[in-house]
Amino acid sequence: MMAGNNLRKLREKHGLTLSDVAAVSGLSIAMLSLVENGHRDLNGLKKISLARSLGVPVDELFPRDQESTPA
């Protein structure tokens, strides 16, 4: 899952641990780990919270699938 890879890369780029992101985003460490490993997706509000905690736009963290976007 691309979002999980994006999350891990952005988190590591900012020198943050899962615990750091959990504290700021309000999501559990377990949930963040599941997302990073591609086993879980988040709903809209949780995506927004997570993106804000990393200081990035939601679309950067959770890019839209180009193939499913109507032309």
Side-chain angles (χ1 to χ4, degrees):
M1 178 180 281
M2 184 181 265
N5 290 333
N6 288 347
L7 172 56
R8 181 174 284 123
K9 287 177 185 175
L10 285 168
R11 181 178 60 78
E12 291 175 347
K13 177 182 174 182
H14 293 286
L16 301 170
T17 64
L18 284 173
S19 181
D20 296 332
V21 176
V24 176
S25 69
L27 300 172
S28 71
I29 294 169
M31 175 63 76
L32 293 170
S33 179
L34 287 171
V35 172
E36 279 195 1
N37 290 302
H39 299 293
R40 189 72 187 244
D41 196 12
L42 299 173
N43 69 28
L45 293 176
K46 290 179 181 175
K47 287 179 180 180
I48 292 168
S49 176
L50 185 54
R52 284 183 179 166
S53 72
L54 293 168
V56 298
V58 174
D59 286 345
E60 182 177 339
L61 186 56
F62 298 95
R64 293 184 180 154
D65 183 0
Q66 298 298 326
E67 294 179 14
S68 66
T69 304

